[in-house]
Amino acid sequence: MRNNFLNLGFLVLALSSVSVNAEILSKDAIPSPILDQFYKRHPNAIDISAEKKTHFKQALYEITFKDEKDKAAIIELYRGNGHFFVNGDNVTTSNMMPAIAHDNLKAAFDTYNIKEAILVVNPNGVGEEYDLTVNAAGNNWSVIIDHNGNITQKERD
């Protein structure tokens, strides 16, 4: 009987730890405090989308947009209250991650392809994280890697 309760407890913990799939938010779904601050900084922004992310144990909104003059994608992260957090840098074409990160990705996914890599530097001190979009076995995954190369978050898109 005790083993049944123990197994039931582990099952509940396992089910509750399953991550929710990342979701791209339209401009209309972005909270108004964020949009207000965003438009103060970028009144000519176009092609705006957002995604809920967690970096440095903070719930953030990753806003991707283009400027009317410069058509390159720009990434900024905001706190839920609308305060700007930090810029994200697209480092997909450069190999900036620690070497151990590739070993950890290989352990998590037998074969994988990094579709996108965004560098997020901690504005409050030491550290950086890599926000990856990884394709493995036909599925896209959102993966966060810390400055030591450890996978801190992994959820299927």
Side-chain angles (χ1 to χ4, degrees):
M1 184 68 151
R2 190 175 118 214
N3 285 339
N4 288 340
F5 285 123
L6 187 61
N7 289 338
L8 182 62
F10 284 131
L11 179 64
V12 169
L13 285 174
L15 290 176
S16 66
S17 70
V18 174
S19 298
V20 206
N21 290 341
E23 175 184 347
I24 302 292
L25 304 172
S26 69
K27 184 174 85 171
D28 298 333
I30 301 170
S32 60
I34 295 172
L35 275 180
D36 293 345
Q37 291 301 312
F38 175 77
Y39 278 125
K40 285 180 185 176
R41 293 172 55 93
H42 307 285
N44 298 323
I46 57 174
D47 296 336
I48 301 167
S49 65
E51 193 173 350
K52 290 182 181 181
K53 294 286 186 164
T54 302
H55 286 287
F56 309 106
K57 300 179 183 172
Q58 294 187 48
L60 302 168
Y61 285 82
E62 183 179 279
I63 311 279
T64 303
F65 64 99
K66 294 180 181 175
D67 192 294
E68 209 171 60
K69 297 172 190 161
D70 182 17
K71 298 297 182 185
I74 301 168
I75 300 165
E76 292 185 346
L77 289 100
Y78 289 82
R79 293 182 176 99
N81 62 6
H83 292 135
F84 174 75
F85 185 70
V86 71
N87 286 323
D89 296 320
N90 190 329
V91 294
T92 305
T93 57
S94 59
N95 190 12
M96 297 179 66
M97 287 189 304
I100 190 72
H102 294 286
D103 295 338
N104 290 335
L105 285 168
K106 184 87 171 143
F109 311 102
D110 272 341
T111 57
Y112 67 92
N113 179 32
I114 298 175
K115 293 174 62 177
E116 183 179 50
I118 306 298
L119 172 64
V120 179
V121 179
N122 189 349
N124 300 322
V126 180
E128 57 194 27
E129 290 183 338
Y130 297 89
D131 186 350
L132 307 179
T133 302
V134 175
N135 185 284
N139 294 313
N140 285 332
W141 293 81
S142 178
V143 179
I144 305 293
I145 294 184
D146 68 12
H147 65 282
N148 294 322
N150 299 315
I151 296 174
T152 59
Q153 254 183 316
K154 179 178 87 171
E155 60 184 35
R156 191 159 65 166
D157 286 345

